Amino acid sequence: MPQQHAEGFVEAVLVVVADIPPGQVATYGDVAALLGSRGARAVGQVMARSGADVPWWRVVRAGGRPPAGHAERARQHYLDEGTPLRPSNDDDGYRIDLSACRWRA
């Protein structure tokens, strides 16, 4: 990917994420699809490198799993915003209820 195109993709991802309303979430794949891409992993890379200035917790993994390695930090954001959660029996301890709060731009 040429440098200019890559920078445009990063900016586009951050704009989409900034638009996700409180209490709602989108998957990495959802964000990619909104940008006409199938690059869910590329969205994840953007969020890992540049996502600190946007509501990063509103971008989740498939199946409603919170961002990898950030489940505990993200949980407080979800509780503050009223994002519907359900318990799970794994290391994260919960899932975001995508059927109740998946954002559709």
Side-chain angles (χ1 to χ4, degrees), residues 68-93:
H70 299 287
E72 201 51 47
R73 247 178 72 202
R75 181 193 294 262
Q76 192 57 52
H77 289 290
Y78 300 136
L79 295 174
D80 291 346
E81 294 183 356
T83 307
L85 305 177
R86 54 187 171 79
S88 70
N89 293 325
D90 61 13
D91 290 343
D92 296 331

Side-chain angles (χ1 to χ4, degrees), residues 51-104:
D53 294 332
V54 294
W56 54 267
W57 58 92
R58 295 183 193 150
V59 183
V60 301
R61 294 181 281 170
R65 295 186 68 199
H70 299 287
E72 201 51 47
R73 247 178 72 202
R75 181 193 294 262
Q76 192 57 52
H77 289 290
Y78 300 136
L79 295 174
D80 291 346
E81 294 183 356
T83 307
L85 305 177
R86 54 187 171 79
S88 70
N89 293 325
D90 61 13
D91 290 343
D92 296 331
Y94 69 94
R95 292 280 182 278
I96 293 90
D97 185 349
L98 287 177
S99 64
C101 66
R102 193 174 205 162
W103 179 63
R104 302 289 185 195

Side-chain angles (χ1 to χ4, degrees), residues 4-69:
Q4 188 173 13
H5 183 68
E7 290 172 7
F9 183 76
V10 169
E11 183 62 29
V13 167
L14 297 177
V15 166
V16 167
V17 173
D19 284 346
I20 301 171
Q24 295 187 4
V25 299
T27 66
Y28 294 99
D30 292 341
V31 174
L34 282 169
L35 298 174
S37 169
R38 293 176 44 204
R41 287 181 187 217
V43 170
Q45 289 174 344
V46 169
M47 294 305 297
R49 294 183 180 134
S50 307
D53 294 332
V54 294
W56 54 267
W57 58 92
R58 295 183 193 150
V59 183
V60 301
R61 294 181 281 170
R65 295 186 68 199

